[in-house]
Amino acid sequence: MAQQKKKIEPKTLISEERIQARIRELAAQIDQDYADSDRLICVGVLKGSVFFMVDLLKQLKTPIAVDFFQTSSYGAGTEPGEVRIRKDIDMSIRGKDVLLIEDIVDTGYTLRTILDLLRFRGARSVKLCALLDKETRREVEVPIDYLGFPIEDVFVIGYGLDYDQLYRNLPYIGYLETE
Ligand code: 5GP
């Protein structure tokens, strides 16, 4: 008989209510800081940031444009910390205000690479909004301008974050308990 895969129920780390409440606070802060902006370019990093980005941007009153990067996870044939851009943004950002939106900052290599690239291309300002920060794991400095929640060094899933491409659609941040 074929072996049945045991369904593992994730534990909750940050509830849907806490996430949504924090997003409302972040959106209010961002609206206040960009009160004079007529176009803020919000750049997400695929795929993990999408759920957070959609909920955050729906709360903003500031006029925004939306674009995306996709980076490759470092694997065989890459140096530690080497980040490859798999999909570039479509828009020109020269002279524009850019808000980079990310799900989680871990070692910091992904965002360091993207932030440097955005500045190199002549953005007027570049700020970072991240839902989660695993600060103890940081290897390169990445200042976070708007942070949802600092977390411990635990592998999290849900609300955009995956484990083997699954669990992204959980409305909360969770973790899988190993036996
Ligand atoms: P960094 O370049 O900061 O080390 O890595 C950032 C990326 O690693 C995130 O965008 C995310 O894709 C992945 N990552 C880091 N920590 C976690 C985690 O706890 N859970 C999941 N699902 N992905 C993570």
Side-chain angles (χ1 to χ4, degrees), residues 3-175:
Q3 224 185 343
Q4 281 251 295
K5 265 198 172 173
K6 213 167 94 186
K7 193 165 170 265
I8 307 165
E9 211 47 59
K11 300 260 184 251
T12 304
L13 186 68
I14 307 170
S15 70
E16 183 176 4
E17 292 71 26
R18 282 184 67 204
I19 294 171
Q20 297 304 329
R22 186 72 189 115
I23 285 177
R24 285 192 290 276
E25 291 173 357
L26 291 173
Q29 184 66 55
I30 293 167
D31 273 337
Q32 196 178 316
D33 294 351
Y34 290 96
D36 297 332
S37 175
D38 60 351
R39 178 185 291 239
L40 174 63
I41 302 189
C42 296
V43 174
V45 187
L46 295 171
K47 305 172 189 169
S49 71
V50 169
F51 289 71
F52 172 47
M53 187 167 178
V54 167
D55 284 348
L56 177 73
L57 299 192
K58 283 193 293 186
Q59 298 286 331
L60 288 185
K61 294 181 180 68
T62 308
I64 57 146
V66 175
D67 212 333
F68 293 98
F69 271 115
Q70 186 162 19
T71 56
S72 64
S73 41
Y74 10 93
T78 55
E79 294 292 318
E82 189 180 319
V83 176
R84 300 222 172 113
I85 307 288
R86 283 176 59 192
K87 187 224 167 283
D88 203 344
I89 47 171
D90 300 320
M91 291 176 197
S92 165
I93 51 153
R94 179 161 296 279
K96 306 273 170 52
D97 293 316
V98 178
L99 180 63
L100 186 58
I101 299 172
E102 177 62 309
D103 47 9
I104 185 165
V105 190
D106 188 26
T107 62
Y109 284 117
T110 305
L111 287 171
R112 180 75 279 153
T113 306
I114 294 177
L115 288 166
D116 287 350
L117 184 59
L118 292 170
R119 293 204 176 96
F120 175 75
R121 288 183 180 168
R124 183 168 71 168
S125 71
V126 182
K127 283 192 180 184
L128 171 62
C129 177
L131 179 64
L132 304 171
D133 179 17
K134 273 192 209 173
E135 208 190 345
T136 55
R137 295 255 311 155
R138 199 76 87 255
E139 289 179 28
V140 284
E141 206 194 318
V142 175
I144 304 175
D145 301 283
Y146 306 99
L147 174 65
F149 305 92
I151 61 165
E152 301 293 311
D153 182 11
V154 53
F155 188 84
V156 285
I157 51 163
Y159 201 60
L161 290 152
D162 74 306
Y163 173 67
D164 196 17
Q165 296 301 329
L166 294 174
Y167 301 107
R168 290 193 198 275
N169 60 325
L170 294 179
Y172 59 90
I173 299 288
Y175 59 96

